[in-house]
Amino acid sequence: MDPDGADGISQYMSHSPPQRARMHRLFLIQELLCIICEHVRNDHTGSIVAGRTLASLARTSKVFHHVATSALWSRLEGLSPLLRPLASDLTVTPETAARPPSMLMLRRPLKLAEWEILRGLARRVEHLSVHDPARPVDVSIVLSLCHPPANSLLFPHLKSILWNDERAETFSFIRTLSGPTVTSLAITITNDSRKWYIPELGILASLPYVCPNVTEVTLPTNAFCNAFPFISEALCAWNNLKEIKCGAIEGTALAHLAKQPALRKLSFSMLNNAGLGLESSLPSGAFSCVRDFDIHAANMSFLDAFINRLGGSPASMHVLVDTNPPPTSITSLFTTLRRFSSTHLQDLSLRLMTPPSPRVMPVHPLHLLAQPQPPANVGPYMAPSINMMGHPNSLGYQPPLALNGFQVLPLGGVSTSGPPPTCHTLTSRDFMPLTCFESLRKIDISINHNIHLDDDDLRSLVSAWPHLYSFSLNDTAGWRVKSGITQIGLIAMLDCCPDLQKLCIALNTDAFIEVPSDREGIENTAVRTLGLADSLIEARATVAVAAFLSDIFPNLTTIVAWDSVVMSRRLNAGIYADRWMHVSEQVQGMNKVRAQERRWWLSDDDGESEACAISQV
């Protein structure tokens, strides 16, 4: 709805003269008006449009004024909107080199009348984000708001606080915001080097007593933050927590939270020594009511012990590790998860934290002059034998083999001198323990190991997950061995998983020699972005691959391949990235042509139907 949309309400008015027009009694129901205004407030068209619409509703009628004004001020991004309606000489935005041009500052203290206006606006606020990067306020404003000329709460109806102000001197303002109505508290301090001082730690420890009814809490997640003992103390002081997101917590706090019956979501970090004595510190049947786990750990050494102490059956398990897990621990984790109910676990994620590093522009190697080997039957088409660098195999060059016999791409640099690093290759046997969970809907695995699956492997896995909508394997590191999944396996996967919306695997394109004369007969209209990791592709196969992908993914708009820092450091990464980008562009064009053809067919069918109807008459 826009400002002009208020005129549409006239259809609900009576047909009496305009000066005697009355609002339809339907709009006298306050609950209905609240639903309408809340819908406008949450409209996806953007906060600016929603704000203008609510302001128009507030000016349309006295019936709308109170509800629309409350909705307009219910969610506040930053503190500057509270100061805009006050006197023009109260604030200034100086453009100096020391401060950002849009930094709002006070010229003088607030007068009593201005405090009353500000309190009238603040009492309507229910959800507050303290800092707005687009319209920041000076520290002096925040400190002034800490001392209103009254003992009552400045924000008496505040329900949620998002504290995202990195400045240490403003943290005392959180005490002014806190109150018994607050049920959601999020302190999102992202500065890893920030040191918490004694006054701030004291305020942090007091929050459970000034906000006793908090049910959702987010506390600083930096594992090396000196505030983590006080975070643990605060978590133990709240008794009705349903959702927790925090950094490292002490073992005593973990044992306390393990017995909380209201807890449903838990996100935390484990220190290096936190797993010691886990069997004795955690009670049997711990976290029996938690449905969603998000665990950040230095390694996976404690996970088996932690999972074995859990009661109940979680619906999601997300694990982020700092060091690459050994293959035995991965298999052990998947096997340990089998103690959970096969109908509950829906979301599983195991990812290795990748430190940020600059991309490397690969140096294109010299073209290898070689005679092609005899063709090998890879699928429905005859394809020449292709080495891992994308060139025909020659008598003088053979791609390196891993210890388990799979072909391995050179890793970690732009030179192929010396043997490649030895990595374990995960196969279908490693993932097979997960096939007992028929309710799995999302699988996200990204670790620093090779992956090899063929068509039969993929079919045997996904046939156990009929409700799968997201499937991603090594989207960051790549599979690093030549994939055995051809178009046959991909089509079988789409047939087994009709709800699939997100996919990232490595595809074998050897069989794509020319565009087939007939289509495959199956399609997925939900997938719009397809991840193909480090899939190899020959230049001559781009058109055939694009035709195939356009056929089975008619709404596909983007193909993501060789698109990570890790994969960009591999030999010939730039070549393959360019080829897949070319495939993506061709798919977009082909899909537009197919959409045109479908419209033509529909119009022809309508014309034939009309002609048949006329002939029958």
Side-chain angles (χ1 to χ4, degrees), residues 302-502:
F302 83 100
L303 273 179
D304 286 346
F306 179 78
I307 293 176
N308 281 323
R309 304 298 291 179
L310 296 181
S313 187
S316 70
M317 178 71 69
H318 294 176
V319 178
L320 177 66
V321 293
D322 292 333
T323 58
N324 193 44
T328 53
S329 64
I330 298 175
T331 307
S332 177
L333 172 64
F334 294 162
T335 304
T336 306
L337 289 175
R338 299 185 66 171
R339 65 186 300 269
F340 298 144
S341 172
S342 61
T343 59
H344 286 176
L345 188 63
Q346 300 179 12
D347 186 351
L348 177 62
S349 173
L350 173 61
R351 297 191 67 88
L352 172 66
M353 174 172 281
T354 304
S357 58
R359 283 178 178 269
V360 172
M361 296 305 296
V363 179
H364 294 174
L366 295 176
H367 181 71
L368 298 178
L369 298 177
Q371 297 296 324
Q373 296 290 330
N377 189 3
V378 183
Y381 304 99
M382 301 295 290
S385 177
I386 305 297
N387 67 32
M388 300 310 294
M389 294 298 99
H391 299 287
N393 277 330
S394 67
L395 298 178
Y397 174 81
Q398 292 296 331
L401 293 179
L403 296 180
N404 53 12
F406 295 116
Q407 290 179 322
V408 183
L409 286 146
L411 308 174
V414 296
S415 175
T416 58
S417 59
T422 301
C423 291
H424 178 79
T425 298
L426 299 177
T427 64
S428 61
R429 290 180 297 179
D430 298 287
F431 300 104
M432 198 57 67
L434 299 178
T435 56
C436 70
F437 299 106
E438 68 242 21
S439 58
L440 269 175
R441 296 174 55 83
K442 181 179 180 181
I443 299 176
D444 182 13
I445 309 295
S446 181
I447 35 81
N448 193 23
H449 290 296
N450 308 329
I451 294 179
H452 183 271
L453 298 175
D454 58 24
D455 292 341
D456 293 335
D457 297 333
L458 184 64
R459 185 184 297 107
S460 62
L461 290 174
V462 299
S463 60
W465 308 316
H467 307 292
L468 197 67
Y469 75 87
S470 179
F471 186 67
S472 177
L473 296 181
N474 273 16
D475 59 342
T476 300
W479 289 28
R480 298 188 298 195
V481 300
K482 193 170 187 179
S483 175
I485 300 175
T486 67
Q487 71 273 23
I488 299 175
L490 183 57
I491 292 174
M493 182 179 188
L494 299 183
D495 191 29
C496 294
C497 307
D499 300 330
L500 196 65
Q501 300 177 17
K502 179 182 178 181

Side-chain angles (χ1 to χ4, degrees), residues 196-313:
W196 288 68
Y197 296 95
I198 293 179
E200 295 177 274
L201 296 178
I203 295 174
L204 184 63
S206 68
L207 291 179
Y209 306 100
V210 293
C211 301
N213 299 318
V214 167
T215 59
E216 302 176 10
V217 63
T218 300
L219 298 176
T221 57
N222 183 7
F224 302 101
C225 177
N226 65 323
F228 88 89
F230 299 90
I231 291 176
S232 300
E233 180 181 347
L235 291 175
C236 292
W238 275 302
N239 296 319
N240 299 314
L241 291 177
K242 296 180 181 179
E243 299 182 15
I244 299 175
K245 183 178 181 181
C246 62
I249 55 178
E250 295 180 330
T252 54
L254 192 64
H256 171 80
L257 297 176
K259 297 179 288 186
Q260 298 303 307
L263 193 59
R264 295 294 182 270
K265 295 183 179 181
L266 178 61
S267 175
F268 70 105
S269 301
M270 296 295 291
L271 295 177
N272 292 333
N273 59 350
L276 300 178
L278 197 62
E279 294 84 351
S280 59
S281 61
L282 283 183
S284 179
F287 302 105
S288 58
C289 296
V290 176
R291 294 293 174 262
D292 301 298
F293 284 99
D294 197 332
I295 304 171
H296 180 192
N299 51 63
M300 293 179 60
S301 60
F302 83 100
L303 273 179
D304 286 346
F306 179 78
I307 293 176
N308 281 323
R309 304 298 291 179
L310 296 181
S313 187

